[in-house]
Amino acid sequence: MVANVTQSRKTSAEAPADTELIADAVNTVLAMELSTSTRQQIDHWTTRVIGHISLLLAEDLGAEEDDEVMALFRASYYLLDLSRRPRESTPAYEAFDYLRELTTRTRGLLAVYVRRNEIGER
């Protein structure tokens, strides 16, 4: 007998973004210093933050009604463009600057997400 397995995608209401995990990543990256960070650490955190920002960009954050949120979306998508991302040959300081800028945008989107979903306001 073969079991019938179905998968359903959870909506954001059923599986909200882990705001604590994202905030911890943001705080960790913003506390990093270029002088004490290895390229491997920079690349590791870049990959993680790209995942976090991508998750937030997939949420309905009201960009259509709010020009500031729309500007944040545009700036975030600009950074996520593959041609703008650091490569292996990119100097560490440029990769670090990219990571910081990406993290700053993630922090902004996280603030919008928290406000829009009234997280921590109960």
Side-chain angles (χ1 to χ4, degrees), residues 81-101:
D81 185 313
L82 288 175
S83 67
R84 306 214 185 290
R85 293 184 191 183
R87 294 175 174 73
E88 247 183 68
S89 61
T90 304
Y93 68 90
E94 287 181 20
F96 186 78
D97 285 345
Y98 174 85
L99 172 58
R100 298 276 300 193
E101 182 68 23

Side-chain angles (χ1 to χ4, degrees), residues 52-81 84 101-102 104-117:
H52 294 317
I53 199 170
S54 297
L55 176 72
L56 292 169
L57 287 168
E59 295 292 326
D60 177 14
L61 299 180
E64 292 80 22
E65 312 89 52
D66 187 327
D67 291 338
E68 289 180 29
V69 175
M70 181 58 81
L72 189 54
F73 265 64
R74 284 189 183 118
S76 299
Y77 280 117
Y78 176 83
L79 286 171
L80 288 174
D81 185 313
R84 306 214 185 290
E101 182 68 23
L102 186 68
T104 300
R105 301 293 177 212
T106 302
R107 181 176 54 185
L109 288 170
L110 180 60
V112 172
Y113 180 85
V114 166
R115 183 176 60 246
R116 189 150 170 100
N117 290 289

Side-chain angles (χ1 to χ4, degrees), residues 10-22 55-56 59 110 113 117 119 122:
K10 294 186 178 212
T11 64
S12 64
E14 294 169 350
D18 188 338
T19 56
E20 288 181 26
L21 180 68
I22 297 170
L55 176 72
L56 292 169
E59 295 292 326
L110 180 60
Y113 180 85
N117 290 289
I119 296 171
R122 293 181 183 145

